[in-house]
Amino acid sequence: MNDFAAWSRAIQARTELALARVLPDSHLAPQRLHDAMRYVSLGGGKRVRPMLAFAAGEAVGVEAKHVEPAACAVELIHVYSLTHDDLPCMDDDDLRRGKPTCHVAYDEATALLVGDALQSLAFEVLAGAATTDAPTRLDMLRQLAHAAGSRGMCGGQAVDLASTGQQLDLAELEFMHIHKTGALIEAAVLLGA
């Protein structure tokens, strides 16, 4: 267990540094948007999806530097989904990881744009992964788009929103969770390998 704890801390630190490198500097225009993107992405989180990507890479002998773009991409998609999920039109949460959510710390419009920009950045990072060949990058982009889209994470969120106040049967509940959470977890493993 100590080895896992040390490994997970190392992956969390590596992911934090990698995200800090790929996120736009908050001094670049538009400063408020870039500052908010860094606010929601850095300084917290378990980094489960990057851990899964790195673990998959290790399992098949892929060097960590080759996994890093995929790990960043899935984490950026995850953070975008949390930022949108916290909005008043979704779950209307005021706190995330013990600090004010993006729409509380900034405003609702900025939070919406932050999610949009993080999603775009995820695909930009993956497309620019110089450590993989073009056909592999194209396949990785397709997998991430599928996992994040209407037949993946967004579809699961749509089912979640549509079922508010209703009791779901086991099959509906499984469908929602497999798509809302499972699709991105599966993408992390596939992209890391």
Side-chain angles (χ1 to χ4, degrees):
M1 185 57 109
N2 287 338
D3 290 340
F4 176 76
W7 177 84
S8 63
R9 282 192 304 274
I11 295 301
Q12 289 168 336
R14 182 181 191 125
T15 303
E16 186 80 8
L17 289 172
L19 288 170
R21 282 192 307 272
V22 301
L23 286 160
D25 190 280
S26 58
H27 294 95
L28 297 174
Q31 292 93 343
R32 183 174 173 81
L33 176 61
H34 291 158
D35 187 58
M37 289 169 69
R38 296 180 78 81
Y39 175 81
V40 298
S41 301
L42 300 174
K46 298 177 286 283
R47 310 295 190 209
V48 171
R49 286 143 196 88
M51 277 191 242
L52 290 169
F54 282 108
E58 286 180 24
V60 296
V62 177
E63 288 183 63
K65 69 179 180 181
H66 298 297
V67 177
E68 202 168 272
C72 283
V74 294
E75 188 66 6
L76 289 167
I77 293 288
H78 176 62
V79 175
Y80 123 69
S81 75
L82 296 177
T83 302
H84 279 188
D85 195 47
D86 291 337
L87 287 168
C89 64
M90 299 262 192
D91 287 349
D92 196 15
D93 289 318
D94 290 337
L95 292 174
R96 168 80 53 196
R97 300 177 186 136
K99 67 181 187 180
T101 56
C102 190
H103 74 274
V104 172
Y106 292 86
D107 56 68
E108 194 172 336
T110 298
L112 182 65
L113 293 172
V114 162
D116 294 347
L118 290 173
Q119 181 185 50
S120 295
L121 182 59
F123 289 99
E124 181 182 338
V125 167
L126 203 53
T131 57
T132 56
D133 60 71
T136 301
R137 283 196 311 270
L138 185 59
D139 188 51
M140 292 168 77
L141 288 164
R142 184 195 56 75
Q143 289 175 26
L144 186 60
H146 179 79
S150 65
R151 291 175 291 156
M153 185 185 68
C154 286
Q157 182 65 30
V159 171
D160 189 11
L161 289 171
S163 65
T164 300
Q166 298 178 16
Q167 187 169 349
L168 299 177
D169 65 29
L170 182 58
E172 292 167 324
L173 192 60
E174 285 177 345
F175 178 91
M176 180 183 70
H177 286 293
I178 286 169
H179 288 81
K180 187 174 176 180
T181 304
L184 200 54
I185 289 174
E186 180 182 10
V189 173
L190 292 172
L191 296 178

